[in-house]
Amino acid sequence: MPPRLRSSNLLPSASSAPCTLCLAAQSQTISLPVPSSRQFSQTPRPLITLRRRKFYEWLNGPGRQLREPIPDSTNYLGAYDKFGNLVRAGPGWRKDRAAQKTATTAGGQANVEAQTEKPAEDVTPAGQENLDQLEEAIRAGEAEQKGAIDGAEKKGEEQKDGKLPPESQEDLRPFPLNQYFRSQPVLSEDLREAIYRRVKKDGATVSLASVEFGVNNERVGAVVRLKQMEKEWIAQGKTLALPYSQAVLSMLPTTPHIDTTLPRNKSKRPIPHEPINDLIVHPATRQQLFVPVAESRRFTRVDAGKAFDNDLLPADARIPHPELVQAEREIEAGLSFEERRRLAEERLEKEQESKRNAEKRKEEELRALKVVPQRRWDFVFKDVSVEAAGRNGKGAAAAGWRYGVPHQDRKRGIPKIPTRVEA
Amino acid sequence: MPRKKPRFHSLKKLHVRQNWSRWSLYALSQLKAPNVTSRTYFQQKWTAKATTRAYHGEHIREKKWKHMFKRTLPAVVAMDYKYLAANDGSEQAAGRGMGADVQSATRTPPMTPYMQMAYYPLERRLDTAIWRALFASSVRQARQFVVHGLVKVNGKKMVYPAYALNPGDMFQVEPASVMFATGAPKTRSSSARRVTKAKAAERAAAREESGGQTPKQPKPSDAAVAQSTREEPTPAELKKHLQDLMADVDGVLAEDVKAKDKQKFRAFRQSVKKAISLWRTANPESVSTLDTQFDFLKTQIAERAAASLPRETAAPEPLMSDEDQKRLRDAFEKLKLETEHTSAWNRRNPRAPYATPWRPRDYMSAFAFIPRYLEVNQNICAAVYLRHPVARQGLAEVPTPFPIETGQLAFNWYLRNR
């Protein structure tokens, strides 16, 4: 088959859609050697396709706002409409001006603070179980710290002023189509520092700090561990990633720290960061059960747990802070303050006793090991039971290499990636 | 002939990928809910699987992922301790059918979106967790960091990107790499290279000329002195400037030292410069540092006030009270501290592999979120994997860009034969 006539200087799209962008592109690319669309074909590849044009149109139009972060605010796709307008912004707001505005308006912060002293009930949600309320409170608190909220009568002024109102739930959606995901607040630097000081300097237990700051147990532990490491780095004179840290924290929603020791925060309570009493859904409770029960019987949570699984404890015992339930019950029983404190101290004493015992046991186990130090390695002897090998002598818990059982670690298909790293 | 490898970011077939690129952002903005009316169930499931897998662990082979897939999805319910204390659970069963149940409809709690959790085992992988903690700009980059030995888990080097993090594991990435990954790239255009080369050649020539000695830079201030022959400003003008300056001083003082945005300081510096340029009659060489700037400003103002006092009997108060002076001094000190801070931590560094002073890369803010199962300390670029991601009422912790219908279809795809 003879090769087709080469029409390399003609773009196929130019005849069909004579728009200005196409023509511009054509005039730019006309001097370049035009690559062919296929290896075997002489037809030139269209350099600016419709898709590409649309892509750049979107990037330079609606997507333009997402390129740079908004100072001191989140900047997610969900906060914009399809034309690229920030939905929550007032008519007077402009991104490039926002930075200057923060500079000029910060002067009036002193009188803002006087007005924002609200009763504590407005700031803190009643129960800690409602996540939406909780996060709304966090956002309100954050906005308050930035000096954005000023009471209702100032709102109109604000819009003209060009200040951004606090984010709504839709504004925190990085993925607009996924209704069930939003960017949740992270701990602010001050709050991390406060948690670290409370645990390390004041010697509060993790669960106490967790209740006080409204941060769950694991996170308190992690914050302390990371802060400890940060202090070590500072002591060693290592370079911290400070510019990165500042940039990231200004892009994220954060939970502010309300220092109640300060006189101006006297009427406030700390803003809880997350629900701290999360109950893990037990696999046994995933099924539906029909348990006939006599109407006269008092069928409690304990019985319900037993009905699902014999070892399943009720929710009161399985939540991370059962002591809160206990304390609440004692208040309802009408015990006096001294009585309650005595009971709490007893419980604490008991808990610490069990902890001490466990530690002692572990120490004794370590002491029972016979260690023979050598030049490079230490020999450690410990008592083992022959019974651990099991009936066929291949028990996995048994010590040592067993005759006739090959090593698996060189085999194909057996993962050699470690499953755990000791801290 | 082997099939051509499809483009990673194709405009013909849009894929949301696990990175912070503009293509991913564009694909994200063009996402639509799946078509459930005119397609068979199998087609819907296939498309859902294909689109979600293009995002979740596209660098993992399908067989590996199938092996990791779990049909049991973790969830939690937030409990109210006050409710637990007040009730023992028997109230839920009491009096059913005997007229004792209340009619007041309690608000039904939002649905628990289990179906958005289909890919939760992948969030356990080390490379994915590094990306979720905002230490890398894509999962593939995070993977490269791991393979190159820049990542430690619990203080020990870990080179396996597929390492499944256990709750409580701490991972840390080299801060320089994090700044490289998340910072704006260095511009490496040919023209920039040409300019630097030309400058270097010029400098070398100048050195040759002066016989191996570094030549003195021509002072730009000499020209400024020659030009600044304007008369002294009027007292009214001066007063207005001082008022502007004091307004900015308040702003500077309200800011804490770890200021998030530097614009305020820059604006203040600008205003100070403006105020000083009004006084450009004296020798400007002394107005180089902030300290001297302040002293210069103060002495000039004092002189001016002293000079204007006998002439202007109508305005006898000095231009600056002691209190104002103190505030101005505080503002200057803060500014000095901030400048030192910036020069120490975020200075220009031509050796760094990213643009300096450091700034976040384009489109980073659109992707910047940290899920709750991680606790991150950005200062040391370390994070702790607290627990596995869970679903709770109205919220699934696995960050996925797709609607819940797609998640459900994809989950159903992997349920087969199981």
Side-chain angles (χ1 to χ4, degrees):
Chain A
M1 206 168 90
R4 275 211 260 166
L5 280 178
R6 197 181 175 96
S7 56
S8 56
N9 284 354
L10 253 182
L11 285 170
S13 63
S15 58
S16 58
C19 73
T20 51
L21 240 167
C22 273
L23 290 173
Q26 201 179 354
S27 62
Q28 273 176 9
T29 52
I30 212 146
S31 58
L32 297 171
V34 181
S36 60
S37 56
R38 302 277 192 284
Q39 254 180 350
F40 50 81
S41 165
Q42 298 288 315
T43 316
R45 186 179 355 150
L47 284 175
I48 295 283
T49 60
L50 177 70
R51 293 191 195 96
R52 190 162 292 256
R53 206 171 64 231
K54 278 193 171 163
F55 171 61
Y56 281 109
E57 266 170 20
W58 187 86
L59 273 190
N60 295 327
R64 198 181 189 82
Q65 305 291 324
L66 294 162
R67 192 175 175 130
E68 306 273 331
I70 304 175
D72 275 350
S73 167
T74 58
N75 191 23
Y76 296 122
L77 197 55
Y80 293 91
D81 61 6
K82 65 175 176 180
F83 305 108
N85 302 318
L86 193 60
V87 175
R88 72 174 190 277
W93 185 81
R94 268 183 59 196
K95 191 176 176 180
D96 47 342
R97 258 194 236 147
Q100 296 170 16
K101 287 286 175 195
T102 43
T104 51
T105 48
Q109 201 136 51
N111 46 359
V112 168
E113 268 162 20
Q115 289 179 15
T116 49
E117 282 193 16
K118 285 187 204 161
E121 275 66 37
D122 291 4
V123 179
T124 329
Q128 286 183 326
E129 80 283 9
N130 193 337
L131 196 67
D132 292 352
Q133 273 179 28
L134 208 80
E135 276 173 21
E136 219 172 291
I138 291 176
R139 288 198 291 269
E142 199 189 353
E144 205 171 290
Q145 283 229 332
K146 283 178 196 162
I149 277 195
D150 239 9
E153 71 279 356
K154 264 206 161 184
K155 209 131 211 186
E157 227 175 277
E158 231 169 64
Q159 303 259 315
K160 262 182 271 155
D161 241 30
K163 227 188 274 172
L164 269 184
E167 293 101 335
S168 68
Q169 244 184 57
E170 281 74 34
D171 297 329
L172 289 174
R173 274 196 197 127
F175 309 126
L177 239 49
N178 185 355
Q179 302 288 313
Y180 298 100
F181 180 78
R182 57 176 176 270
S183 169
Q184 290 176 286
V186 298
L187 301 176
S188 61
E189 279 284 2
D190 301 340
L191 190 49
R192 283 182 208 161
E193 185 64 40
I195 291 172
Y196 175 78
R197 259 186 280 123
R198 188 81 182 96
V199 174
K200 276 280 167 178
K201 302 273 154 66
D202 305 353
T205 59
V206 168
S207 63
L208 181 61
S210 160
V211 172
E212 280 178 358
F213 292 102
V215 174
N216 72 23
N217 284 334
E218 295 92 16
R219 198 178 300 278
V220 170
V223 164
V224 172
R225 190 171 163 199
L226 291 168
K227 263 281 164 197
Q228 181 75 42
M229 195 163 158
E230 188 186 326
K231 309 264 170 193
E232 278 166 20
W233 276 40
I234 290 170
Q236 290 164 13
K238 283 193 188 174
T239 315
L240 304 183
L242 279 184
Y244 164 75
S245 161
Q246 283 170 11
V248 167
L249 285 179
S250 72
M251 283 178 207
L252 295 172
T254 50
T255 308
H257 172 50
I258 291 189
D259 194 356
T260 42
T261 53
L262 293 180
R264 59 171 178 181
N265 289 334
K266 219 157 200 180
S267 59
K268 290 180 187 170
R269 262 190 268 164
I271 299 175
H273 177 66
E274 59 193 336
I276 55 173
N277 269 325
D278 278 345
L279 180 72
I280 294 167
V281 174
H282 194 273
T285 61
R286 289 244 166 87
Q287 53 177 332
Q288 244 180 353
L289 274 193
F290 291 95
V291 184
V293 174
E295 231 175 69
S296 56
R297 187 175 157 202
R298 202 174 162 75
F299 194 76
T300 60
R301 275 195 293 270
V302 183
D303 301 322
K306 288 236 176 72
F308 277 115
D309 192 297
N310 268 335
D311 300 329
L312 186 58
L313 294 172
D316 324 33
R318 289 175 56 223
I319 56 174
H321 291 281
E323 77 275 4
L324 286 181
V325 179
Q326 190 69 33
E328 194 70 19
R329 282 210 183 114
E330 280 165 10
I331 290 175
E332 267 185 25
L335 296 182
S336 67
F337 179 71
E338 276 74 39
E339 191 84 348
R340 276 188 281 134
R341 199 170 69 178
R342 194 180 55 75
L343 285 172
E345 274 169 3
E346 267 174 25
R347 276 201 298 275
L348 190 70
E349 185 59 37
K350 204 187 270 177
E351 192 183 309
Q352 281 179 344
E353 183 66 35
S354 67
K355 209 180 270 180
R356 266 195 301 257
N357 281 345
E359 256 174 39
K360 207 184 278 176
R361 220 175 303 128
K362 207 176 263 178
E363 245 176 48
E364 265 167 22
E365 265 172 32
L366 275 182
R367 221 178 297 136
L369 293 180
K370 192 183 167 197
V371 180
V372 180
Q374 293 291 312
R375 189 167 55 92
R376 197 164 163 196
W377 308 106
D378 292 350
F379 288 112
V380 179
F381 297 95
K382 76 176 175 190
D383 289 337
V384 290
S385 160
V386 188
E387 305 303 318
R391 191 178 289 166
N392 58 2
K394 293 183 179 180
W401 178 77
R402 285 175 298 294
Y403 188 76
V405 181
H407 280 306
Q408 301 280 319
D409 54 359
R410 288 278 181 174
K411 248 183 179 174
R412 201 173 148 268
I414 302 277
K416 292 155 208 68
I417 301 175
T419 53
R420 55 194 296 195
V421 180
E422 293 300 329
Chain B
M1 204 175 128
R3 213 174 125 206
K4 204 182 97 188
K5 204 180 162 207
R7 271 175 184 277
F8 190 65
H9 285 300
S10 162
L11 287 176
K12 194 182 275 181
K13 182 107 184 55
L14 289 176
H15 288 303
V16 189
R17 302 287 192 186
Q18 284 187 325
N19 58 26
W20 299 345
S21 69
R22 49 196 176 144
W23 293 284
S24 280
L25 191 63
Y26 178 63
L28 200 58
S29 72
Q30 305 296 314
L31 262 188
K32 284 188 192 72
N35 175 9
V36 291
T37 49
S38 63
R39 305 183 77 211
T40 66
Y41 188 45
F42 181 87
Q43 284 172 339
Q44 290 174 32
K45 283 197 292 184
W46 173 274
T47 316
K49 182 219 73 167
T51 49
T52 51
R53 279 285 283 136
Y55 179 78
H56 290 285
E58 49 81 26
H59 58 297
I60 302 163
R61 276 179 296 144
E62 183 66 7
K63 204 169 209 174
K64 291 249 176 193
W65 155 240
K66 268 190 182 165
H67 193 68
M68 285 163 79
F69 175 78
K70 287 198 194 84
R71 57 182 302 160
T72 50
L73 302 170
V76 296
V77 182
M79 302 303 282
D80 185 8
Y81 68 94
K82 282 181 181 157
Y83 174 82
L84 288 181
N87 305 290
D88 64 349
S90 62
E91 86 286 349
Q92 294 204 342
R96 284 291 148 82
M98 288 171 66
D101 38 345
V102 278
Q103 289 302 318
S104 63
T106 49
R107 244 183 71 219
T108 45
M111 178 251 282
T112 306
Y114 279 103
M115 289 296 109
Q116 294 290 56
M117 300 285 294
Y119 290 99
Y120 93 92
L122 289 179
E123 303 298 313
R124 226 184 130 176
R125 282 175 59 104
L126 181 58
D127 51 0
T128 314
I130 288 170
W131 179 64
R132 293 287 188 212
L134 307 182
F135 292 155
S137 66
S138 69
V139 171
R140 282 177 176 262
Q141 191 176 38
R143 184 190 164 83
Q144 193 185 40
F145 284 169
V146 178
V147 170
H148 288 193
L150 302 168
V151 176
K152 286 177 178 174
V153 174
N154 285 337
K156 296 188 183 72
K157 191 168 99 177
M158 170 62 69
V159 292
Y160 302 105
Y163 172 70
L165 288 164
N166 296 314
D169 271 356
M170 179 168 76
F171 56 93
Q172 56 193 108
V173 188
E174 208 48 44
S177 309
V178 171
M179 306 244 307
F180 163 68
T182 58
K186 227 172 183 174
T187 45
R188 290 207 185 82
S189 67
S190 57
S191 54
R193 222 175 294 141
R194 206 169 343 108
V195 165
T196 42
K197 210 177 262 179
K199 267 189 185 167
E202 210 173 87
R203 236 179 292 137
R207 207 177 300 131
E208 285 280 298
E209 240 174 62
S210 59
Q213 292 285 318
T214 318
K216 285 236 172 78
Q217 295 286 325
K219 272 197 178 163
S221 54
D222 296 343
V225 170
Q227 280 167 13
S228 62
T229 52
R230 42 171 297 177
E231 68 269 26
E232 292 201 334
T234 60
E237 214 177 337
L238 179 67
K239 186 100 180 176
K240 196 187 155 291
H241 255 286
L242 263 183
Q243 275 163 358
D244 290 353
L245 194 61
M246 286 323 288
D248 286 341
V249 163
D250 283 335
V252 171
L253 284 178
E255 188 78 11
D256 54 347
V257 179
K258 285 187 289 178
K260 275 177 189 162
D261 55 337
K262 311 284 177 324
Q263 272 94 348
K264 191 177 294 175
F265 289 108
R266 263 181 234 133
F268 179 61
R269 212 173 292 147
Q270 283 293 326
S271 62
V272 169
K273 271 190 191 144
K274 227 159 68 190
I276 288 169
S277 72
L278 215 60
W279 290 101
R280 260 278 166 80
T281 51
N283 48 344
E285 287 91 47
S286 60
V287 202
S288 52
T289 63
L290 285 169
D291 261 338
T292 46
Q293 268 176 12
F294 177 71
D295 288 335
F296 171 74
L297 208 61
K298 208 175 67 178
T299 50
Q300 288 295 321
I301 286 164
E303 270 175 31
R304 182 74 201 147
S308 67
L309 253 178
R311 253 189 300 168
E312 260 191 281
T313 44
E317 87 276 7
L319 279 169
M320 245 175 142
S321 64
D322 284 349
E323 183 188 343
D324 275 1
Q325 269 190 28
K326 193 178 165 295
R327 275 160 79 195
L328 192 57
R329 161 65 78 185
D330 284 352
F332 265 95
E333 250 150 35
K334 203 145 224 190
L335 198 57
K336 209 173 94 184
L337 201 69
E338 198 272 338
T339 319
E340 274 169 9
H341 183 261
T342 311
S343 63
W345 294 104
N346 199 9
R347 74 179 127 219
R348 255 182 64 80
N349 178 9
R351 289 246 193 91
Y354 42 85
T356 46
W358 188 91
R359 61 175 200 280
R361 65 189 301 151
D362 287 350
Y363 305 109
M364 178 179 173
S365 61
F367 298 99
F369 56 83
I370 296 178
R372 278 273 164 92
Y373 56 86
L374 294 173
E375 173 58 36
V376 185
N377 190 328
Q378 282 87 9
N379 287 331
I380 52 173
C381 296
V384 174
Y385 182 79
L386 297 177
R387 54 183 162 79
H388 301 315
V390 291
R392 56 173 74 239
Q393 288 170 344
L395 195 85
E397 280 188 358
V398 174
T400 177
F402 307 102
I404 192 158
E405 294 85 5
T406 307
Q408 189 168 13
L409 288 165
F411 183 73
N412 274 310
W413 171 271
Y414 288 108
L415 269 188
R416 79 180 172 175
N417 302 335
R418 273 166 218 276

